[in-house]
Amino acid sequence: GESVGLHLPTLSVQEGDNSIINCAYSNSASDYFIWYKQESGKGPQFIIDIRSNMDKRQGQRVTVLLNKTVKHLSLQIAATQPGDSAVYFCAENEGGGNKLTFGTGTQLKVEL
Amino acid sequence: EAGVVQSPRYKIIEKKQPVAFWCNPISGHNTLYWYLQNLGQGPELLIRYENEEAVDDSQLPKDRFSAERLKGVDSTLKIQPAELGDSAVYLCASSSSTGGTEAFFGQGTRLTVV
């Protein structure tokens, strides 16, 4: 069936650098995308979302880019901090409902 | 505002025993999800409710798993009998409306079947 996947399972960055986490999706019917952060022993925490009628959305230190042509989603974290260390998941919502499908996740490690 | 509340946080049971998980969603949220998360993987949907109606249970192993959401608020997920392969984290989430909105997650219940 349709799936959401990530290119890199682990990403290591230096504190203060920018991080980019990528996600590929295959369901062309998806119209809403969310990035979640999950720390050890906790449930996923909402970071930022974007709808398919947009190609960029910015939050505090985070930016999500959506390229519908190649079905690609990315999360950019500016000035990465130790507290950003976690697993990051992209999730897609198929059009017309609340069916949320997750990718496999990327482990972000911030080195001091 | 309280978030999604799940209990218990941890559960250890012997195989073939029954187990139940409870979830209290955010007040006013009509949509409730149960997800299963294996170590190192993303959450996988088990069942989704819109109010008290299960609108997507295609991934729920119905031979041993059951769920209910009486009155469209709290929900329980049951496994009977549990198998070793059921060891995982069971996550509950809720969202406010249809059409695509963020889902808020609880802390999860970590189940260990021995």
Side-chain angles (χ1 to χ4, degrees), chain A residues 31-32 34 36 38 41-46 49 51 89 93 96-105, chain B residues 9 31 33 35 37 40-43 48 50 56 91 95 97-107:
Chain A
D31 62 357
Y32 178 61
I34 308 173
Y36 282 93
Q38 188 173 28
K42 297 183 179 180
Q45 177 185 6
F46 172 87
D49 59 2
R51 298 195 182 275
F89 294 98
N93 192 326
N98 267 352
K99 185 173 183 178
L100 202 57
T101 303
F102 282 78
T104 55
Chain B
R9 285 281 282 127
T31 305
Y33 310 79
Y35 284 88
Q37 186 174 29
Q41 298 183 22
R48 174 168 61 98
E50 295 294 343
D56 185 352
L91 292 163
S95 64
S97 65
T98 57
T101 58
E102 63 185 282
F104 294 85
F105 283 81
Q107 296 273 53

mmCIF file of all heavy atoms in Angstrom, chain A residues 31-32 34 36 38 41-46 49 51 89 93 96-105, chain B residues 9 31 33 35 37 40-43 48 50 56 91 95 97-107:
data_model
loop_
_atom_site.group_PDB
_atom_site.id
_atom_site.type_symbol
_atom_site.label_atom_id
_atom_site.label_comp_id
_atom_site.label_asym_id
_atom_site.label_seq_id
_atom_site.Cartn_x
_atom_site.Cartn_y
_atom_site.Cartn_z
ATOM 1 N N ASP A 31 -3.015 15.372 1.746
ATOM 2 C CA ASP A 31 -3.130 16.817 1.626
ATOM 3 C C ASP A 31 -2.706 17.555 2.887
ATOM 4 O O ASP A 31 -2.853 18.776 2.972
ATOM 5 C CB ASP A 31 -4.558 17.204 1.249
ATOM 6 C CG ASP A 31 -5.573 16.796 2.297
ATOM 7 O OD1 ASP A 31 -5.181 16.158 3.293
ATOM 8 O OD2 ASP A 31 -6.762 17.121 2.123
ATOM 9 N N TYR A 32 -2.193 16.819 3.854
ATOM 10 C CA TYR A 32 -1.806 17.440 5.113
ATOM 11 C C TYR A 32 -0.666 16.627 5.689
ATOM 12 O O TYR A 32 -0.733 15.390 5.732
ATOM 13 C CB TYR A 32 -3.018 17.453 6.047
ATOM 14 C CG TYR A 32 -2.779 18.019 7.423
ATOM 15 C CD1 TYR A 32 -2.370 19.331 7.615
ATOM 16 C CD2 TYR A 32 -2.987 17.223 8.540
ATOM 17 C CE1 TYR A 32 -2.172 19.842 8.887
ATOM 18 C CE2 TYR A 32 -2.797 17.722 9.818
ATOM 19 C CZ TYR A 32 -2.389 19.033 9.991
ATOM 20 O OH TYR A 32 -2.191 19.540 11.236
ATOM 21 N N ILE A 34 2.498 16.368 8.800
ATOM 22 C CA ILE A 34 2.891 16.799 10.134
ATOM 23 C C ILE A 34 4.273 16.234 10.449
ATOM 24 O O ILE A 34 4.586 15.094 10.091
ATOM 25 C CB ILE A 34 1.904 16.282 11.209
ATOM 26 C CG1 ILE A 34 0.455 16.635 10.851
ATOM 27 C CG2 ILE A 34 2.259 16.838 12.584
ATOM 28 C CD1 ILE A 34 -0.567 15.993 11.791
ATOM 29 N N TYR A 36 6.526 15.231 13.722
ATOM 30 C CA TYR A 36 6.477 14.968 15.154
ATOM 31 C C TYR A 36 7.881 14.708 15.680
ATOM 32 O O TYR A 36 8.727 14.152 14.976
ATOM 33 C CB TYR A 36 5.617 13.728 15.451
ATOM 34 C CG TYR A 36 4.134 13.955 15.393
ATOM 35 C CD1 TYR A 36 3.425 13.708 14.212
ATOM 36 C CD2 TYR A 36 3.426 14.378 16.513
ATOM 37 C CE1 TYR A 36 2.051 13.899 14.163
ATOM 38 C CE2 TYR A 36 2.051 14.565 16.471
ATOM 39 C CZ TYR A 36 1.379 14.325 15.293
ATOM 40 O OH TYR A 36 0.011 14.514 15.241
ATOM 41 N N GLN A 38 9.782 12.766 18.910
ATOM 42 C CA GLN A 38 9.538 11.802 19.975
ATOM 43 C C GLN A 38 10.797 11.574 20.782
ATOM 44 O O GLN A 38 11.793 11.070 20.267
ATOM 45 C CB GLN A 38 9.015 10.473 19.417
ATOM 46 C CG GLN A 38 8.571 9.510 20.513
ATOM 47 C CD GLN A 38 7.902 8.263 19.967
ATOM 48 O OE1 GLN A 38 8.174 7.837 18.856
ATOM 49 N NE2 GLN A 38 7.015 7.661 20.754
ATOM 50 N N GLY A 41 10.723 7.369 25.733
ATOM 51 C CA GLY A 41 9.738 7.142 26.781
ATOM 52 C C GLY A 41 8.532 8.058 26.730
ATOM 53 O O GLY A 41 7.693 8.031 27.630
ATOM 54 N N LYS A 42 8.438 8.843 25.667
ATOM 55 C CA LYS A 42 7.316 9.773 25.541
ATOM 56 C C LYS A 42 6.554 9.536 24.246
ATOM 57 O O LYS A 42 7.047 8.900 23.328
ATOM 58 C CB LYS A 42 7.807 11.212 25.584
ATOM 59 C CG LYS A 42 8.473 11.602 26.894
ATOM 60 C CD LYS A 42 8.864 13.071 26.883
ATOM 61 C CE LYS A 42 9.505 13.481 28.200
ATOM 62 N NZ LYS A 42 9.884 14.916 28.208
ATOM 63 N N GLY A 43 5.353 10.067 24.185
ATOM 64 C CA GLY A 43 4.596 10.008 22.950
ATOM 65 C C GLY A 43 5.074 11.057 21.966
ATOM 66 O O GLY A 43 5.753 12.008 22.347
ATOM 67 N N PRO A 44 4.753 10.892 20.694
ATOM 68 C CA PRO A 44 5.134 11.895 19.695
ATOM 69 C C PRO A 44 4.553 13.269 20.034
ATOM 70 O O PRO A 44 3.406 13.369 20.481
ATOM 71 C CB PRO A 44 4.533 11.340 18.399
ATOM 72 C CG PRO A 44 4.408 9.869 18.633
ATOM 73 C CD PRO A 44 4.063 9.738 20.086
ATOM 74 N N GLN A 45 5.349 14.287 19.789
ATOM 75 C CA GLN A 45 4.943 15.661 20.088
ATOM 76 C C GLN A 45 4.914 16.467 18.795
ATOM 77 O O GLN A 45 5.871 16.448 18.025
ATOM 78 C CB GLN A 45 5.944 16.282 21.065
ATOM 79 C CG GLN A 45 5.671 17.730 21.411
ATOM 80 C CD GLN A 45 6.759 18.332 22.290
ATOM 81 O OE1 GLN A 45 7.775 17.703 22.544
ATOM 82 N NE2 GLN A 45 6.563 19.542 22.733
ATOM 83 N N PHE A 46 3.823 17.135 18.548
ATOM 84 C CA PHE A 46 3.655 17.950 17.347
ATOM 85 C C PHE A 46 4.731 19.034 17.260
ATOM 86 O O PHE A 46 5.034 19.708 18.249
ATOM 87 C CB PHE A 46 2.274 18.596 17.365
ATOM 88 C CG PHE A 46 2.031 19.616 16.289
ATOM 89 C CD1 PHE A 46 1.560 19.227 15.057
ATOM 90 C CD2 PHE A 46 2.276 20.962 16.521
ATOM 91 C CE1 PHE A 46 1.320 20.161 14.071
ATOM 92 C CE2 PHE A 46 2.050 21.898 15.536
ATOM 93 C CZ PHE A 46 1.572 21.506 14.307
ATOM 94 N N ASP A 49 3.154 21.668 11.009
ATOM 95 C CA ASP A 49 2.383 21.013 9.961
ATOM 96 C C ASP A 49 2.356 21.881 8.706
ATOM 97 O O ASP A 49 2.740 23.046 8.724
ATOM 98 C CB ASP A 49 0.965 20.697 10.433
ATOM 99 C CG ASP A 49 0.188 21.948 10.874
ATOM 100 O OD1 ASP A 49 0.723 23.070 10.791
ATOM 101 O OD2 ASP A 49 -0.968 21.788 11.332
ATOM 102 N N ARG A 51 -0.067 22.167 4.871
ATOM 103 C CA ARG A 51 -1.106 21.647 3.973
ATOM 104 C C ARG A 51 -0.579 21.663 2.538
ATOM 105 O O ARG A 51 0.355 22.386 2.208
ATOM 106 C CB ARG A 51 -2.386 22.463 4.109
ATOM 107 C CG ARG A 51 -2.963 22.377 5.521
ATOM 108 C CD ARG A 51 -4.383 22.837 5.644
ATOM 109 N NE ARG A 51 -4.816 22.752 7.033
ATOM 110 C CZ ARG A 51 -5.307 21.638 7.585
ATOM 111 N NH1 ARG A 51 -5.408 20.543 6.883
ATOM 112 N NH2 ARG A 51 -5.670 21.636 8.854
ATOM 113 N N PHE A 89 9.532 12.061 13.192
ATOM 114 C CA PHE A 89 8.664 11.348 12.255
ATOM 115 C C PHE A 89 7.900 12.332 11.393
ATOM 116 O O PHE A 89 7.413 13.347 11.885
ATOM 117 C CB PHE A 89 7.615 10.519 13.007
ATOM 118 C CG PHE A 89 8.164 9.386 13.808
ATOM 119 C CD1 PHE A 89 8.370 9.534 15.169
ATOM 120 C CD2 PHE A 89 8.449 8.167 13.220
ATOM 121 C CE1 PHE A 89 8.866 8.489 15.927
ATOM 122 C CE2 PHE A 89 8.942 7.121 13.974
ATOM 123 C CZ PHE A 89 9.154 7.282 15.327
ATOM 124 N N ASN A 93 -1.565 12.775 6.058
ATOM 125 C CA ASN A 93 -2.994 12.611 6.253
ATOM 126 C C ASN A 93 -3.648 12.554 4.885
ATOM 127 O O ASN A 93 -3.537 13.504 4.111
ATOM 128 C CB ASN A 93 -3.541 13.786 7.058
ATOM 129 C CG ASN A 93 -4.949 13.561 7.541
ATOM 130 O OD1 ASN A 93 -5.740 12.923 6.864
ATOM 131 N ND2 ASN A 93 -5.262 14.077 8.700
ATOM 132 N N GLY A 96 -9.456 14.256 2.969
ATOM 133 C CA GLY A 96 -10.851 14.026 3.301
ATOM 134 C C GLY A 96 -11.117 13.393 4.644
ATOM 135 O O GLY A 96 -12.245 13.172 5.026
ATOM 136 N N GLY A 97 -10.103 13.074 5.376
ATOM 137 C CA GLY A 97 -10.355 12.439 6.671
ATOM 138 C C GLY A 97 -9.206 12.629 7.619
ATOM 139 O O GLY A 97 -8.342 13.462 7.397
ATOM 140 N N ASN A 98 -9.195 11.869 8.673
ATOM 141 C CA ASN A 98 -8.154 11.978 9.689
ATOM 142 C C ASN A 98 -7.279 10.728 9.726
ATOM 143 O O ASN A 98 -6.835 10.316 10.776
ATOM 144 C CB ASN A 98 -8.783 12.217 11.063
ATOM 145 C CG ASN A 98 -8.879 13.691 11.383
ATOM 146 O OD1 ASN A 98 -8.362 14.526 10.667
ATOM 147 N ND2 ASN A 98 -9.544 14.001 12.463
ATOM 148 N N LYS A 99 -7.037 10.114 8.593
ATOM 149 C CA LYS A 99 -6.192 8.927 8.551
ATOM 150 C C LYS A 99 -4.745 9.357 8.507
ATOM 151 O O LYS A 99 -4.245 9.831 7.491
ATOM 152 C CB LYS A 99 -6.523 8.063 7.340
ATOM 153 C CG LYS A 99 -5.753 6.754 7.308
ATOM 154 C CD LYS A 99 -6.239 5.848 6.190
ATOM 155 C CE LYS A 99 -5.512 4.510 6.230
ATOM 156 N NZ LYS A 99 -6.005 3.586 5.185
ATOM 157 N N LEU A 100 -4.041 9.199 9.624
ATOM 158 C CA LEU A 100 -2.677 9.674 9.789
ATOM 159 C C LEU A 100 -1.722 8.494 9.699
ATOM 160 O O LEU A 100 -1.798 7.563 10.497
ATOM 161 C CB LEU A 100 -2.564 10.364 11.145
ATOM 162 C CG LEU A 100 -1.449 11.369 11.377
ATOM 163 C CD1 LEU A 100 -1.509 12.488 10.354
ATOM 164 C CD2 LEU A 100 -1.561 11.922 12.786
ATOM 165 N N THR A 101 -0.808 8.538 8.721
ATOM 166 C CA THR A 101 0.152 7.459 8.499
ATOM 167 C C THR A 101 1.554 7.977 8.750
ATOM 168 O O THR A 101 1.941 9.013 8.206
ATOM 169 C CB THR A 101 0.046 6.920 7.066
ATOM 170 O OG1 THR A 101 -1.294 6.477 6.836
ATOM 171 C CG2 THR A 101 0.999 5.756 6.846
ATOM 172 N N PHE A 102 2.322 7.228 9.545
ATOM 173 C CA PHE A 102 3.657 7.657 9.939
ATOM 174 C C PHE A 102 4.734 6.962 9.125
ATOM 175 O O PHE A 102 4.585 5.811 8.716
ATOM 176 C CB PHE A 102 3.890 7.325 11.409
ATOM 177 C CG PHE A 102 3.230 8.272 12.360
ATOM 178 C CD1 PHE A 102 1.872 8.185 12.610
ATOM 179 C CD2 PHE A 102 3.965 9.253 12.998
ATOM 180 C CE1 PHE A 102 1.256 9.061 13.485
ATOM 181 C CE2 PHE A 102 3.361 10.135 13.880
ATOM 182 C CZ PHE A 102 2.004 10.034 14.129
ATOM 183 N N GLY A 103 5.850 7.649 8.965
ATOM 184 C CA GLY A 103 7.055 7.065 8.423
ATOM 185 C C GLY A 103 7.835 6.370 9.529
ATOM 186 O O GLY A 103 7.400 6.293 10.676
ATOM 187 N N THR A 104 9.048 5.885 9.184
ATOM 188 C CA THR A 104 9.825 5.089 10.128
ATOM 189 C C THR A 104 10.661 5.911 11.083
ATOM 190 O O THR A 104 11.128 5.410 12.071
ATOM 191 C CB THR A 104 10.738 4.110 9.387
ATOM 192 O OG1 THR A 104 11.540 4.848 8.463
ATOM 193 C CG2 THR A 104 9.924 3.078 8.641
ATOM 194 N N GLY A 105 10.906 7.161 10.833
ATOM 195 C CA GLY A 105 11.612 8.002 11.778
ATOM 196 C C GLY A 105 13.081 8.206 11.480
ATOM 197 O O GLY A 105 13.726 7.358 10.852
ATOM 198 N N ARG B 9 1.026 3.049 32.576
ATOM 199 C CA ARG B 9 2.214 3.433 31.804
ATOM 200 C C ARG B 9 3.030 2.210 31.408
ATOM 201 O O ARG B 9 3.623 2.170 30.334
ATOM 202 C CB ARG B 9 3.079 4.379 32.631
ATOM 203 C CG ARG B 9 2.543 5.771 32.731
ATOM 204 C CD ARG B 9 2.852 6.574 31.455
ATOM 205 N NE ARG B 9 4.221 7.025 31.446
ATOM 206 C CZ ARG B 9 5.055 6.799 30.437
ATOM 207 N NH1 ARG B 9 4.677 6.118 29.379
ATOM 208 N NH2 ARG B 9 6.313 7.238 30.489
ATOM 209 N N THR B 31 -12.098 12.683 17.358
ATOM 210 C CA THR B 31 -11.341 11.598 16.747
ATOM 211 C C THR B 31 -10.357 11.011 17.759
ATOM 212 O O THR B 31 -9.623 11.742 18.427
ATOM 213 C CB THR B 31 -10.556 12.104 15.521
ATOM 214 O OG1 THR B 31 -11.457 12.736 14.613
ATOM 215 C CG2 THR B 31 -9.873 10.940 14.812
ATOM 216 N N TYR B 33 -7.472 7.790 18.228
ATOM 217 C CA TYR B 33 -6.654 6.780 17.556
ATOM 218 C C TYR B 33 -5.970 5.883 18.592
ATOM 219 O O TYR B 33 -5.567 6.348 19.652
ATOM 220 C CB TYR B 33 -5.513 7.424 16.762
ATOM 221 C CG TYR B 33 -5.839 8.550 15.829
ATOM 222 C CD1 TYR B 33 -6.037 9.849 16.314
ATOM 223 C CD2 TYR B 33 -5.875 8.353 14.449
ATOM 224 C CE1 TYR B 33 -6.288 10.896 15.452
ATOM 225 C CE2 TYR B 33 -6.119 9.402 13.580
ATOM 226 C CZ TYR B 33 -6.322 10.676 14.087
ATOM 227 O OH TYR B 33 -6.552 11.716 13.223
ATOM 228 N N TYR B 35 -2.594 3.522 18.333
ATOM 229 C CA TYR B 35 -1.450 3.138 17.523
ATOM 230 C C TYR B 35 -0.603 2.125 18.281
ATOM 231 O O TYR B 35 -0.542 2.130 19.512
ATOM 232 C CB TYR B 35 -0.545 4.337 17.211
ATOM 233 C CG TYR B 35 -1.054 5.283 16.154
ATOM 234 C CD1 TYR B 35 -1.885 6.346 16.479
ATOM 235 C CD2 TYR B 35 -0.688 5.128 14.816
ATOM 236 C CE1 TYR B 35 -2.339 7.228 15.513
ATOM 237 C CE2 TYR B 35 -1.137 6.004 13.843
ATOM 238 C CZ TYR B 35 -1.964 7.058 14.200
ATOM 239 O OH TYR B 35 -2.400 7.926 13.233
ATOM 240 N N GLN B 37 3.427 0.909 18.480
ATOM 241 C CA GLN B 37 4.761 1.332 18.091
ATOM 242 C C GLN B 37 5.790 0.314 18.573
ATOM 243 O O GLN B 37 5.973 0.121 19.772
ATOM 244 C CB GLN B 37 5.092 2.717 18.632
ATOM 245 C CG GLN B 37 6.429 3.251 18.117
ATOM 246 C CD GLN B 37 6.707 4.683 18.530
ATOM 247 O OE1 GLN B 37 6.241 5.140 19.572
ATOM 248 N NE2 GLN B 37 7.462 5.411 17.710
ATOM 249 N N GLY B 40 12.053 1.457 17.542
ATOM 250 C CA GLY B 40 12.760 1.933 16.362
ATOM 251 C C GLY B 40 11.889 2.134 15.140
ATOM 252 O O GLY B 40 12.398 2.389 14.044
ATOM 253 N N GLN B 41 10.592 2.032 15.320
ATOM 254 C CA GLN B 41 9.689 2.203 14.184
ATOM 255 C C GLN B 41 8.655 3.286 14.460
ATOM 256 O O GLN B 41 8.466 3.710 15.596
ATOM 257 C CB GLN B 41 8.983 0.877 13.878
ATOM 258 C CG GLN B 41 9.950 -0.234 13.474
ATOM 259 C CD GLN B 41 9.222 -1.513 13.114
ATOM 260 O OE1 GLN B 41 8.042 -1.494 12.765
ATOM 261 N NE2 GLN B 41 9.931 -2.623 13.159
ATOM 262 N N GLY B 42 8.001 3.713 13.398
ATOM 263 C CA GLY B 42 6.944 4.686 13.549
ATOM 264 C C GLY B 42 5.655 4.046 14.050
ATOM 265 O O GLY B 42 5.464 2.836 13.937
ATOM 266 N N PRO B 43 4.769 4.853 14.616
ATOM 267 C CA PRO B 43 3.479 4.321 15.063
ATOM 268 C C PRO B 43 2.673 3.757 13.892
ATOM 269 O O PRO B 43 2.671 4.328 12.805
ATOM 270 C CB PRO B 43 2.787 5.553 15.661
ATOM 271 C CG PRO B 43 3.888 6.498 15.998
ATOM 272 C CD PRO B 43 4.925 6.285 14.946
ATOM 273 N N ARG B 48 -9.214 3.724 14.450
ATOM 274 C CA ARG B 48 -9.549 5.143 14.545
ATOM 275 C C ARG B 48 -11.041 5.292 14.764
ATOM 276 O O ARG B 48 -11.841 4.656 14.067
ATOM 277 C CB ARG B 48 -9.135 5.870 13.269
ATOM 278 C CG ARG B 48 -9.557 7.324 13.190
ATOM 279 C CD ARG B 48 -8.851 8.035 12.040
ATOM 280 N NE ARG B 48 -9.163 7.438 10.752
ATOM 281 C CZ ARG B 48 -10.082 7.893 9.894
ATOM 282 N NH1 ARG B 48 -10.800 8.952 10.220
ATOM 283 N NH2 ARG B 48 -10.276 7.306 8.727
ATOM 284 N N GLU B 50 -14.329 7.975 15.114
ATOM 285 C CA GLU B 50 -14.952 9.294 15.001
ATOM 286 C C GLU B 50 -16.154 9.227 15.941
ATOM 287 O O GLU B 50 -17.125 8.520 15.678
ATOM 288 C CB GLU B 50 -15.390 9.588 13.570
ATOM 289 C CG GLU B 50 -14.254 9.698 12.575
ATOM 290 C CD GLU B 50 -13.344 10.899 12.817
ATOM 291 O OE1 GLU B 50 -13.742 11.834 13.539
ATOM 292 O OE2 GLU B 50 -12.219 10.903 12.276
ATOM 293 N N ASP B 56 -12.073 3.141 11.013
ATOM 294 C CA ASP B 56 -10.951 2.482 10.365
ATOM 295 C C ASP B 56 -10.353 1.489 11.348
ATOM 296 O O ASP B 56 -9.633 1.884 12.250
ATOM 297 C CB ASP B 56 -9.912 3.499 9.908
ATOM 298 C CG ASP B 56 -8.773 2.860 9.107
ATOM 299 O OD1 ASP B 56 -8.707 1.609 9.029
ATOM 300 O OD2 ASP B 56 -7.937 3.606 8.569
ATOM 301 N N LEU B 91 0.001 3.514 21.840
ATOM 302 C CA LEU B 91 -0.206 4.952 21.926
ATOM 303 C C LEU B 91 -1.651 5.301 21.604
ATOM 304 O O LEU B 91 -2.232 4.760 20.658
ATOM 305 C CB LEU B 91 0.689 5.681 20.923
ATOM 306 C CG LEU B 91 2.200 5.641 21.175
ATOM 307 C CD1 LEU B 91 2.959 6.029 19.923
ATOM 308 C CD2 LEU B 91 2.578 6.562 22.327
ATOM 309 N N SER B 95 -7.726 14.024 18.102
ATOM 310 C CA SER B 95 -7.721 15.267 17.337
ATOM 311 C C SER B 95 -9.137 15.818 17.301
ATOM 312 O O SER B 95 -10.106 15.109 17.589
ATOM 313 C CB SER B 95 -7.166 15.055 15.925
ATOM 314 O OG SER B 95 -7.988 14.189 15.187
ATOM 315 N N SER B 97 -11.084 17.388 14.806
ATOM 316 C CA SER B 97 -12.092 17.389 13.753
ATOM 317 C C SER B 97 -11.594 16.601 12.563
ATOM 318 O O SER B 97 -10.438 16.233 12.473
ATOM 319 C CB SER B 97 -12.419 18.823 13.331
ATOM 320 O OG SER B 97 -11.290 19.434 12.740
ATOM 321 N N THR B 98 -12.473 16.357 11.659
ATOM 322 C CA THR B 98 -12.097 15.692 10.419
ATOM 323 C C THR B 98 -11.480 16.706 9.476
ATOM 324 O O THR B 98 -11.515 17.900 9.723
ATOM 325 C CB THR B 98 -13.322 15.048 9.749
ATOM 326 O OG1 THR B 98 -14.301 16.073 9.532
ATOM 327 C CG2 THR B 98 -13.923 13.991 10.643
ATOM 328 N N GLY B 99 -10.895 16.217 8.395
ATOM 329 C CA GLY B 99 -10.323 17.117 7.411
ATOM 330 C C GLY B 99 -8.869 17.405 7.599
ATOM 331 O O GLY B 99 -8.299 18.211 6.871
ATOM 332 N N GLY B 100 -8.235 16.771 8.583
ATOM 333 C CA GLY B 100 -6.796 16.957 8.728
ATOM 334 C C GLY B 100 -6.442 17.985 9.765
ATOM 335 O O GLY B 100 -6.358 19.183 9.488
ATOM 336 N N THR B 101 -6.240 17.529 10.952
ATOM 337 C CA THR B 101 -5.713 18.381 12.012
ATOM 338 C C THR B 101 -4.710 17.565 12.812
ATOM 339 O O THR B 101 -4.725 16.342 12.763
ATOM 340 C CB THR B 101 -6.807 18.892 12.954
ATOM 341 O OG1 THR B 101 -7.485 17.780 13.520
ATOM 342 C CG2 THR B 101 -7.782 19.794 12.242
ATOM 343 N N GLU B 102 -3.862 18.264 13.552
ATOM 344 C CA GLU B 102 -2.837 17.566 14.304
ATOM 345 C C GLU B 102 -3.460 16.657 15.344
ATOM 346 O O GLU B 102 -4.495 16.958 15.931
ATOM 347 C CB GLU B 102 -1.907 18.568 14.978
ATOM 348 C CG GLU B 102 -2.623 19.437 16.006
ATOM 349 C CD GLU B 102 -1.728 20.502 16.590
ATOM 350 O OE1 GLU B 102 -0.920 20.164 17.470
ATOM 351 O OE2 GLU B 102 -1.853 21.653 16.159
ATOM 352 N N ALA B 103 -2.819 15.524 15.553
ATOM 353 C CA ALA B 103 -3.223 14.601 16.591
ATOM 354 C C ALA B 103 -2.291 14.776 17.781
ATOM 355 O O ALA B 103 -1.077 14.906 17.615
ATOM 356 C CB ALA B 103 -3.162 13.167 16.072
ATOM 357 N N PHE B 104 -2.861 14.753 18.971
ATOM 358 C CA PHE B 104 -2.105 14.879 20.204
ATOM 359 C C PHE B 104 -2.004 13.483 20.828
ATOM 360 O O PHE B 104 -3.005 12.779 20.945
ATOM 361 C CB PHE B 104 -2.809 15.827 21.167
ATOM 362 C CG PHE B 104 -2.865 17.250 20.681
ATOM 363 C CD1 PHE B 104 -3.881 17.666 19.830
ATOM 364 C CD2 PHE B 104 -1.909 18.169 21.063
ATOM 365 C CE1 PHE B 104 -3.946 18.973 19.371
ATOM 366 C CE2 PHE B 104 -1.967 19.487 20.617
ATOM 367 C CZ PHE B 104 -2.981 19.879 19.761
ATOM 368 N N PHE B 105 -0.798 13.153 21.257
ATOM 369 C CA PHE B 105 -0.539 11.816 21.757
ATOM 370 C C PHE B 105 -0.413 11.778 23.272
ATOM 371 O O PHE B 105 0.061 12.735 23.907
ATOM 372 C CB PHE B 105 0.747 11.257 21.150
ATOM 373 C CG PHE B 105 0.593 10.776 19.746
ATOM 374 C CD1 PHE B 105 0.614 11.666 18.694
ATOM 375 C CD2 PHE B 105 0.399 9.432 19.478
ATOM 376 C CE1 PHE B 105 0.458 11.224 17.385
ATOM 377 C CE2 PHE B 105 0.242 8.984 18.178
ATOM 378 C CZ PHE B 105 0.268 9.884 17.135
ATOM 379 N N GLY B 106 -0.801 10.639 23.825
ATOM 380 C CA GLY B 106 -0.507 10.361 25.213
ATOM 381 C C GLY B 106 0.891 9.805 25.358
ATOM 382 O O GLY B 106 1.627 9.662 24.376
ATOM 383 N N GLN B 107 1.267 9.481 26.580
ATOM 384 C CA GLN B 107 2.607 8.965 26.877
ATOM 385 C C GLN B 107 2.792 7.531 26.420
ATOM 386 O O GLN B 107 3.908 7.063 26.261
ATOM 387 C CB GLN B 107 2.885 9.042 28.385
ATOM 388 C CG GLN B 107 2.915 10.445 28.928
ATOM 389 C CD GLN B 107 4.284 11.083 28.819
ATOM 390 O OE1 GLN B 107 4.868 11.121 27.749
ATOM 391 N NE2 GLN B 107 4.787 11.576 29.916
#
